[in-house]
Amino acid sequence: MKVLVTGGAGYIGSHAAQRLLADGHSVVVVDNLSRGHARAVQRLREHARNGDRLGFQHLDIRATDTIETLIREHRIDTVMHFAALTYVGESVEKPLDYYENNTAGSLSLLRACERSWSHAHGGVRRFVFSSTAATYGEPPADRVPIREDCPQNPINPYGASKLMVERMLRDSVAAAARSGSDFAAACLRYFNVAGADHTGLIGEDHDPETHLIPIAIQAAMGKRPGMTIFGEDYPTSDGTCVRDYVHVEDLADAHVTVMQKMTTGTCVAYNLGIGRGYSVKEVIAAVERVTAKPIPVRIGQRRAGDPPVLFADPAKIRAELGWSASWTDLERIISTAWEWMRRNPEGYGR
Ligand code: UFG
């Protein structure tokens, strides 16, 4: 297939691009590089299998006309849409940035796809969207593990900005079906994405870093003096929040699986998680074991907007598409992140 990967210079998008190339697909990455790394794409081009099948355009998805031209010129048939701002806290401070980048950006991209249905090659037929468990908000305890039919009530602008895109996709697929256009969409709701490419070529590099596992590894490496656990008084077994950590390579695998099995006229949603949760303290202890280094920890206040327990019921994608996570051991997942950060202490470099 000929796949447009938006946000392909970012953490998850670059791993998806790597997997698509490995499977023999052609990939065009579009990234405005506001958060992504040109060096991630460069490494894939130079070292990935079929790296010569990877194109790169430094471009914002809000440039509708240029995106449409790109779809035409590269005869794109599939879009994997990762480009987004993804910090929950930042979204509370700057909600309009999130609606502009994530919601309006997706609208622009979708408009370009819609226009492409009149192109000679038939245009974009499949759209795979990076959605998030943040669209569920704070599900009641009796709805955890979370199934796809759990009510979606996001509690922050990040989750809301993504939920609106799910709605746009559903409506666009229905309209396309009515007009006889060949179009399908999938909304993949990620839980906590973790780890790095097991070959060490690409990995996670956020600035600032806010995620638990890389912060714990940085603390173990002495790159920060220590770390804070955000709240120890949650109604969980050890008082800290519980999350479902899914390996980024499994996530890439799920995207490819979904892409290959999409049915015209449908807009589906799947949770992507391993189906079990680990507490913050369990994660920190696992990072200590993997790195064989102690992590200085202090207990701090709860972080606003953190639900106590979030983990997926991944039964739907297993039953319908036969996908399940292959990285289910937390220490193994962490080992890949540790390996990446050890080999690339400055990430991709600034
Ligand atoms: N945490 C700490 N200390 C830190 C960093 C995190 O205690 O220094 C805690 C958080 O409070 C939370 C847990 O570790 O309880 C995980 O936090 P992350 O920031 O790693 O991840 P989140 O669960 O907040 O969010 C992630 C993604 C979101 C996505 C969400 C869905 O970043 O984009 O998972 O589950 F929406």
Side-chain angles (χ1 to χ4, degrees), residues 132 134 158 192 210-212 228-230 241 243 280 303 306:
T132 169
Y158 169 62
N192 290 53
T210 63
H211 296 111
L212 176 62
T228 303
I229 292 179
F230 298 140
C241 290
R243 295 287 183 274
V280 173
R303 190 172 67 177
D306 273 346

Side-chain angles (χ1 to χ4, degrees), residues 19-348:
R19 171 59 192 268
L20 287 164
L21 292 170
D23 286 4
H25 300 286
S26 298
V27 176
V28 179
V29 163
V30 163
D31 201 300
N32 68 8
L33 298 180
S34 67
R35 304 274 159 105
H37 303 275
R39 286 183 187 152
V41 181
Q42 196 183 328
R43 286 190 185 187
L44 290 177
R45 265 167 135 155
E46 287 170 7
H47 303 289
R49 206 177 135 229
N50 297 325
D52 56 332
R53 288 175 168 235
L54 175 63
F56 175 63
Q57 296 280 334
H58 183 184
L59 186 65
D60 194 293
I61 51 171
R62 285 166 289 181
T64 319
D65 294 346
T66 318
I67 299 273
E68 187 195 346
T69 304
L70 206 137
I71 290 171
R72 185 195 313 267
E73 285 177 354
H74 292 269
R75 303 177 65 79
I76 298 291
D77 51 49
T78 304
V79 168
M80 285 195 185
H81 176 32
F82 300 92
L85 300 178
T86 60
Y87 295 125
V88 169
E90 183 184 58
S91 80
V92 177
E93 303 297 324
K94 301 176 180 172
L96 298 185
D97 287 3
Y98 277 68
Y99 293 117
E100 192 171 314
N101 273 276
N102 298 0
T103 313
S106 300
L107 173 63
S108 158
L109 178 64
L110 201 44
R111 177 71 81 192
C113 294
E114 181 190 58
R115 290 188 194 155
S116 78
W117 298 336
S118 63
H119 293 182
H121 79 286
V124 174
R125 272 160 270 170
R126 288 167 290 269
F127 193 110
V128 184
F129 174 55
S130 280
S131 189
T132 169
T135 59
Y136 294 115
E138 284 193 48
D142 64 349
R143 301 301 297 250
V144 181
I146 300 170
R147 295 192 335 196
E148 289 79 355
D149 59 4
C150 180
Q152 289 174 287
N153 295 309
I155 56 166
N156 49 59
Y158 169 62
S161 73
K162 291 275 185 173
L163 181 58
M164 284 190 216
V165 181
E166 290 202 9
R167 180 65 199 252
M168 285 195 283
L169 283 170
R170 254 201 331 272
D171 293 342
S172 294
V173 167
R178 276 195 295 277
S179 68
S181 300
D182 185 2
F183 191 53
C187 303
L188 304 185
R189 299 176 188 152
Y190 311 159
F191 283 68
N192 290 53
V193 188
D197 151 41
H198 74 278
T199 69
L201 187 61
I202 53 174
E204 184 170 14
D205 180 3
H206 293 121
D207 184 24
E209 188 51 78
T210 63
H211 296 111
L212 176 62
I213 291 175
I215 281 181
I217 294 176
Q218 286 174 353
M221 292 169 86
K223 291 196 75 185
R224 53 175 80 220
M227 62 174 296
T228 303
I229 292 179
F230 298 140
E232 196 188 25
D233 57 350
Y234 284 97
T236 60
S237 58
D238 63 17
T240 64
C241 290
V242 170
R243 295 287 183 274
D244 183 333
Y245 295 89
V246 57
H247 195 274
V248 66
E249 287 190 334
D250 274 333
L251 215 69
D253 183 54
H255 282 72
V256 173
T257 304
V258 168
M259 170 182 93
Q260 282 163 341
K261 297 185 179 170
M262 290 171 80
T263 310
T264 294
T266 63
C267 179
V268 290
Y270 294 114
N271 286 339
L272 298 184
I274 69 170
R276 73 154 284 191
Y278 293 95
S279 74
V280 173
K281 284 186 179 170
E282 284 174 326
V283 171
I284 294 172
V287 173
E288 288 185 318
R289 287 194 298 277
V290 168
T291 59
K293 295 183 197 312
I295 299 175
V297 166
R298 64 174 280 272
I299 306 296
Q301 297 294 311
R302 288 184 176 195
R303 190 172 67 177
D306 273 346
V309 181
L310 278 181
F311 63 98
D313 178 345
K316 184 180 174 205
I317 188 165
R318 190 187 315 123
E320 294 185 4
L321 305 183
W323 180 88
S324 61
S326 59
W327 297 78
T328 52
D329 180 74
L330 182 61
E331 284 185 30
R332 285 193 62 226
I333 293 174
I334 291 171
S335 299
T336 62
W338 164 232
E339 196 52 30
W340 155 257
M341 290 174 71
R342 216 167 48 81
R343 286 199 212 178
N344 302 272
E346 304 305 323
Y348 290 106

